[in-house]
Amino acid sequence: MTALENIAELKSLRIPMRDGVKVAVDLWLPKVRRETVPTIILQTRYLRAIQWRWLAHRLGLPELLDVHGSTRERFLRAGYAWVDVDVRGTGASEGRQLHPWSRDEVLDAAQVVDWVVSQPWSNGRVGATGVSYAGTAAEMLASNRHPALKAIAPRFSLFDVYPDVVFPGGVHLAWFTEEWSKFNDLLDANCYANAVGAMTRVNQSALATWARHQNRPFLAAALKVLATMGSEHLVRTGVGLLARGVRPCDGQDQTYLNQLASARANTDVHAAALGMVHRDDTGLVEDHPDIGADNFSPHTRVDALRESGVAVLSVSGWLDGAYQHSAIKRHHALGGNRRWLLLGPWEHGGRQNISPHSAARKSQFDHDEELLRFFDAHLRDAHLHDDGEFDAPRVRYFTVGEERWKSAEQWPPKSVETSTLFVQADGALNADAPETGGEYRREIRDDVGTGVRSRWRSLLGLAAPVGYDVRGEKTRHLLRWDGPALDRPLEVTGHPVVRLWVEADEVDLAIFVYLDDVAPDGDATYITEGQLRARHRKVAGWSESGAPKRTFESSDAKLLVPGEPTELIIDLLPVSYRL
């Protein structure tokens, strides 16, 4: 018997939706509970549960590899009910996933809430949370304005699909969409072992790079041997001996699950993204030519989110792709008092401490306790101020380098002051506007990049620590400008912005900008970065954060004129870092 089975009863059910499609859910009920209890819902497209073989149970793998296990257990011990959902068209659920967070999927979520509050054990109050896809699903659920949904905690998740993950700065994050689509295709075919094998292949180069940087030659050599032996095949074979695939619900068997998988007709997100350049490009789904990126983006539902009255805790980390900006945009868009923002020293998912100034690589932050306090406040009326609001600072953020948590009433904090540095003719950076201009030329190279341990690679939940080699051989080919040596510490908190005048011999190009902390010995530490595809350079205003707003729409796109100097305004991703 597992630890969860000691404290909770599990029922795997299929709930019929309005169109007859049945959605698979796992209901966990605490064995020791009050007469009625609040409920947390987590919706995933990555299989709500795995059907493990006998050997895996003997080895204790089901608990070890359950990514939501510790959080679920914490809530069950606290007397909550917990519901895991395979969203429509995935796992053991029927139907088709027309695209991520489709209209039908969002309506399904409201029906799951209907089912929950109709149960005799429910106290009529529901919360929703999740990381990444599940975090966005929680946010989309809130847009239904269901009266029983009182609070959501979208964690490490997008707010605006186009710039937050698929096209940051208008540049296609093709590696992510391709690997994410391959992974999902394998899961949808109920080929769990193959999906894990594919992630091993993706992860291996990042682990090898990390091993070399950490001066661990034995590990680096072992990874090289595994690659030579075909590590993806080895992992696929090993996992196949331990797991069958998605865990069936009551009344399902393996034959039925195989039939479900073979009938999938889910949209290939990568293929759809290859047909896009602008936000308003449509035709992403072949048999629904009117569908574009905004059809599945939470930012288009912000009015409904505000009207719902749902309390929102937005959580992200400084190297969580571009999702820390997502959390900030959500926080600003919602307005009002029922919103809280938490930004820490984390990658995607919050398992790693990404601060290069800390010896601890594993995050020491108790995410589960933070969630429990938040949901206790809104589902049990605990941890409240005298005015009835959740007793927590409106904004909490971690300053890397200073290694300290801070609180503020807004983002950026009121104490932040804007300062400007200018590129001088000799290549220096300082506060004086130059009297004469300078010119810097470079031939564009396609072998200079962010590397395999970047903030973007963390979006697939990879195990290798995130980190940047900002003084490596390849960086010699980048344009670089250094500011003066500091005579006192300097904190960079907010959204750095770079203005460049660019003259190119092409009609379009992408510019990448990095901000580094350079030590006296010349060693450098990555702080943050930004990118912009030149055709999307039009600025349509400025956000509360001080970052430029862009529509990324075709009507605002404008190609460069070869040989004509053009100003590009590039916002770097938000950060708090002390030099």
Side-chain angles (χ1 to χ4, degrees):
M1 179 175 286
T2 67
L4 280 183
E5 290 171 331
N6 282 325
I7 63 172
E9 303 166 0
L10 170 62
K11 296 180 180 180
S12 296
L13 310 165
R14 290 185 294 164
I15 302 175
M17 299 292 105
R18 65 216 158 274
D19 57 358
V21 166
K22 292 180 180 177
V23 169
V25 305
D26 278 355
L27 166 64
W28 295 87
L29 278 177
K31 289 182 177 178
V32 178
R33 59 180 184 266
R34 305 172 189 177
E35 187 173 341
T36 58
V37 295
T39 304
I40 301 298
I41 293 176
L42 187 145
Q43 307 162 80
T44 183
R45 69 103 55 247
Y46 306 127
L47 308 187
R48 80 192 191 288
I50 304 302
Q51 183 181 15
W52 296 101
R53 300 180 191 272
W54 173 84
L55 179 59
H57 286 285
R58 290 285 295 176
L59 296 173
L61 291 179
E63 292 183 54
L64 181 66
L65 299 179
D66 185 351
V67 295
H68 307 299
S70 64
T71 305
R72 187 190 300 112
E73 181 176 350
R74 184 79 70 94
F75 275 81
L76 288 168
R77 289 188 183 278
Y80 281 76
W82 184 283
V83 174
D84 290 310
V85 182
D86 278 333
V87 299
R88 174 184 293 248
T90 74
S93 289
E94 299 173 352
R96 173 191 182 190
Q97 188 178 60
L98 190 63
H99 54 74
W101 313 290
S102 68
R103 177 179 177 275
D104 280 333
E105 182 180 321
V106 175
L107 291 175
D108 291 345
Q111 285 195 252
V112 172
V113 176
D114 285 338
W115 177 82
V116 166
V117 297
S118 70
Q119 303 305 305
W121 45 260
S122 171
N123 74 348
R125 291 186 177 188
V126 175
T129 189
V131 168
S132 200
Y133 191 101
T136 302
E139 187 170 10
M140 297 295 257
L141 165 57
S143 70
N144 284 301
R145 291 172 282 194
H146 197 294
L149 186 71
K150 303 300 182 183
I152 62 169
R155 296 175 284 146
F156 308 95
S157 59
L158 58 85
F159 181 65
D160 185 348
V161 167
Y162 183 93
D164 291 355
V165 63
V166 185
F167 288 90
V171 182
H172 183 197
L173 188 56
W175 173 87
F176 171 77
T177 59
E178 182 174 16
E179 295 297 343
W180 190 68
S181 295
K182 288 178 181 177
F183 179 67
N184 289 335
D185 286 347
L186 291 170
L187 290 182
D188 292 345
N190 204 23
C191 299
Y192 177 70
N194 291 9
V196 176
M199 283 299 97
T200 301
R201 169 183 50 78
V202 170
N203 197 20
Q204 190 165 276
S205 59
L207 275 171
T209 301
W210 174 76
R212 289 195 299 272
H213 289 173
Q214 294 294 312
N215 195 27
R216 299 189 181 186
F218 178 77
L219 178 57
L223 289 167
K224 186 175 182 179
V225 169
L226 283 173
T228 303
M229 295 173 62
S231 56
E232 181 176 354
H233 174 73
L234 290 173
V235 170
R236 195 166 59 227
T237 302
V239 173
L241 296 173
L242 299 169
R244 293 182 183 276
V246 67
R247 187 167 69 203
C249 292
D250 294 347
Q252 293 179 326
D253 57 22
Q254 197 60 44
T255 300
Y256 178 79
L257 291 177
N258 292 339
Q259 290 172 347
L260 268 186
S262 63
R264 302 280 194 225
N266 295 344
T267 296
D268 184 329
V269 171
H270 179 60
L274 290 176
M276 289 188 70
V277 175
H278 312 96
R279 177 199 290 279
D280 53 338
D281 290 344
T282 55
L284 306 189
V285 181
E286 187 174 352
D287 52 344
H288 290 74
D290 57 325
I291 289 178
D294 281 356
N295 288 91
F296 48 99
S297 190
H299 85 284
T300 63
R301 294 173 174 243
V302 71
D303 290 340
L305 287 168
R306 280 194 295 258
E307 293 166 7
S308 72
V310 167
V312 180
L313 172 63
S314 298
V315 182
S316 186
W318 295 131
L319 293 189
D320 177 25
Y323 290 167
Q324 66 296 121
H325 199 183
S326 308
I328 290 167
K329 288 186 287 188
R330 178 188 304 115
H331 186 74
H332 285 153
L334 289 175
N337 294 324
R338 295 178 64 76
R339 56 186 176 130
W340 291 266
L341 178 63
L342 180 64
L343 300 167
W346 306 311
E347 42 45 283
H348 188 59
R351 290 164 298 181
Q352 296 181 36
N353 179 355
I354 55 83
S355 172
H357 304 282
S358 172
R361 293 268 59 91
K362 185 177 180 180
S363 174
Q364 304 301 305
F365 189 85
D366 194 339
H367 290 275
D368 295 338
E369 178 62 23
E370 191 70 26
L371 284 177
L372 191 57
R373 287 189 75 254
F374 173 72
F375 283 113
D376 273 351
H378 298 99
L379 305 185
R380 283 180 166 162
D381 299 327
H383 313 300
L384 300 178
H385 281 302
D386 292 339
D387 60 4
E389 285 293 337
F390 177 40
D391 184 12
R394 190 68 57 195
V395 176
R396 279 173 295 164
Y397 63 98
F398 186 88
T399 300
V400 176
E402 190 175 359
E403 304 302 288
R404 188 162 73 89
W405 281 98
K406 300 175 182 178
S407 300
E409 283 301 307
Q410 65 182 47
W411 179 268
K414 290 182 179 179
S415 59
V416 169
E417 298 178 356
T418 301
S419 61
T420 303
L421 296 177
F422 297 90
V423 177
Q424 307 300 317
D426 62 358
L429 279 175
N430 61 48
D432 300 322
E435 295 181 1
T436 59
E439 186 177 275
Y440 307 88
R441 290 190 175 274
R442 283 293 186 277
E443 181 180 353
I444 294 174
R445 297 175 53 134
D446 60 7
D447 63 340
V448 179
T450 311
V452 294
R453 294 174 55 222
S454 72
R455 62 167 67 231
W456 309 108
R457 292 283 177 134
S458 86
L459 291 176
L460 281 180
L462 305 183
V466 176
Y468 289 77
D469 178 16
V470 295
R471 284 294 185 188
E473 174 67 19
K474 291 180 179 179
T475 62
R476 293 192 305 104
H477 304 289
L478 303 181
L479 287 172
R480 193 171 200 104
W481 299 290
D482 289 324
L486 301 175
D487 56 8
R488 61 184 183 277
L490 171 67
E491 180 183 321
V492 179
T493 293
H495 303 245
V497 174
V498 172
R499 294 173 179 263
L500 291 177
W501 282 88
V502 174
E503 178 185 318
D505 55 6
E506 301 287 346
V507 297
D508 202 4
L509 78 165
I511 297 284
F512 295 79
V513 181
Y514 301 88
L515 179 64
D516 298 337
D517 174 7
V518 183
D521 63 1
D523 193 18
T525 301
Y526 168 96
I527 299 176
T528 187
E529 69 184 73
Q531 57 279 131
L532 177 67
R533 186 170 178 179
R535 71 166 63 219
H536 296 300
R537 63 187 177 274
K538 182 176 179 179
V539 174
W542 294 81
S543 71
E544 294 179 58
S545 301
K549 292 181 178 180
R550 308 179 198 276
T551 69
F552 296 102
E553 293 180 354
S554 54
S555 59
D556 285 331
K558 188 176 182 180
L559 296 177
L560 297 171
V561 177
E564 181 179 297
T566 304
E567 186 184 34
L568 303 181
I569 300 175
I570 306 166
D571 55 309
L572 279 62
L573 290 167
V575 73
S576 183
Y577 186 102
R578 186 175 187 258
L579 294 88

